[in-house]
Amino acid sequence: MNWERWHTLSLLVIIVGVLIGGWLIARVSPLWAWIAVMILLTAFLSIAGKGVTGFWWGALIDDRNMMSLSRLQIILWTIVVLSGFLAAAMTNIAADTGQSPLAIQVPQQLWLLMGISTTSLVASPLIRSTKRAGVPSRQQAEAGFRAMAQQRGISVDRASDFVTARGVEVAYRRPELAEWPDLVKGEEVGNFTYLDLGKVQNLFFTLVLIIAYAVALGSRLADGGFIGSLPPLDTGMVTLLGISHAGYLIYKAVPHSQRGIGAADDAPELEAPAPPGRPGRRGSKRRRR
């Protein structure tokens, strides 16, 4: 997908809108300035994703052409925290109290939380890279293809047009195949058609904590006046989120697929099983080196 001129122009307009529009709105209502900046930052990421992948939700799509939970988490926290900091700075500038408008303290718990989300973003592809060696079980792969075909409402012989196996890791053929359920589904041949409870728990913790923090931040901005600090987070909540992320990464690292015999480079291309009564397509086709 080619990056077009309107993508660049739109991003420049959004940057100007954040700086000028946010400051003008902050003179009237810091709360609405924060909401406006959040909307503009979301639009920025959407347009950037559109330019790179061709889809408005492209910022959430990873190298597997699937929606990524770790990407969603870091994006949500970045939008909420960064927009809150910008709104607070613009409010302080508009207030003109003589104090440094950027002297805004970021609580240590918030730094820890951002660090946890960043760690998951970095560690997830590292863990997945270890799953690309070896050969997945053909029987398990074919069972997964059948389940995927049933879920998407397509014929079984078209399943290989949608997904491919990279070792035991599953990837979609094209980014337009990405869908929201990817956020809570497995990533291997053995579980990519099933709900991943580790992801579900991690998503719930993230959403609850983001909503709670957004409410606290909005309440602080609604009070007006000079804002010298962003709202702190309870240490217990940060600890729970850290445990949730650790469990999520450990669960991701544990094998969820049966392995066949051989090396990944010598493995035959996994194709969809043929429907009953029709010849298979298994042949001796091999991956190109």
Side-chain angles (χ1 to χ4, degrees):
M1 182 60 60
N2 294 328
W3 185 280
E4 300 178 9
R5 181 178 298 177
W6 76 267
H7 295 121
T8 302
L9 294 176
S10 298
L11 296 184
L12 292 175
V13 169
I14 289 175
I15 292 174
V16 173
V18 169
L19 297 177
I20 298 179
W23 175 71
L24 291 175
I25 299 175
R27 296 170 64 91
V28 179
S29 172
L31 177 61
W32 282 106
W34 173 56
I35 294 173
V37 172
M38 278 199 296
I39 293 173
L40 289 173
L41 291 181
T42 302
F44 186 99
L45 287 173
S46 297
I47 293 173
K50 174 72 172 177
V52 174
T53 67
F55 302 95
W56 296 106
W57 55 89
L60 297 176
I61 299 176
D62 62 13
D63 61 314
R64 302 167 300 137
N65 291 325
M66 292 182 172
M67 295 282 194
S68 168
L69 177 59
S70 56
R71 282 178 174 240
L72 174 65
Q73 291 170 326
I74 196 68
I75 285 174
L76 289 177
W77 280 115
T78 299
I79 289 176
V80 171
V81 175
L82 183 58
S83 61
F85 185 90
L86 286 173
M90 293 171 183
T91 300
N92 292 344
I93 293 173
D96 193 20
T97 60
Q99 304 180 62
S100 174
L102 297 181
I104 304 170
Q105 182 181 359
V106 179
Q108 182 181 6
Q109 298 92 334
L110 196 57
W111 286 118
L112 289 173
L113 186 147
M114 295 294 290
I116 291 171
S117 297
T118 303
T119 300
S120 285
L121 180 68
V122 175
S124 289
L126 290 177
I127 293 173
R128 287 193 287 103
S129 67
T130 65
K131 300 177 182 287
R132 297 176 186 174
V135 181
S137 162
R138 182 179 293 278
Q139 181 180 6
Q140 192 175 55
E142 291 180 349
F145 275 26
R146 290 191 185 95
M148 190 276 293
Q150 184 178 14
Q151 289 176 356
R152 285 185 174 265
I154 61 175
S155 59
V156 178
D157 56 343
R158 290 188 57 208
S160 59
D161 296 332
F162 284 72
V163 295
T164 184
R166 305 185 298 188
V168 297
E169 181 189 52
V170 170
Y172 288 143
R173 297 283 188 181
R174 302 175 301 279
E176 61 264 28
L177 297 174
E179 54 184 7
W180 292 102
D182 296 337
L183 296 174
V184 291
K185 290 168 67 175
E187 302 170 349
E188 296 185 23
V189 167
N191 69 345
F192 78 101
T193 59
Y194 295 96
L195 198 66
D196 186 327
L197 293 182
K199 285 187 173 183
V200 172
Q201 182 205 53
N202 196 250
L203 178 61
F204 280 168
F205 268 105
T206 299
L207 292 179
V208 169
L209 197 54
I210 284 180
I211 292 173
Y213 188 75
V215 171
L217 181 57
S219 177
R220 177 65 187 89
L221 291 170
D223 291 339
F226 183 84
I227 301 174
S229 174
L230 296 181
L233 278 165
D234 182 74
T235 304
M237 289 298 294
V238 177
T239 302
L240 285 175
L241 186 67
I243 293 173
S244 177
H245 275 268
Y248 160 69
L249 293 175
I250 293 172
Y251 186 81
K252 182 190 289 284
V254 173
H256 300 282
S257 304
Q258 301 172 7
R259 292 179 181 264
I261 301 175
D265 291 340
D266 298 325
E269 179 75 21
L270 287 175
E271 296 185 350
R278 294 179 56 180
R281 294 166 40 185
R282 293 188 195 174
S284 59
K285 181 179 178 182
R286 292 181 175 271
R287 291 179 180 170
R288 295 181 181 176
R289 294 183 181 272

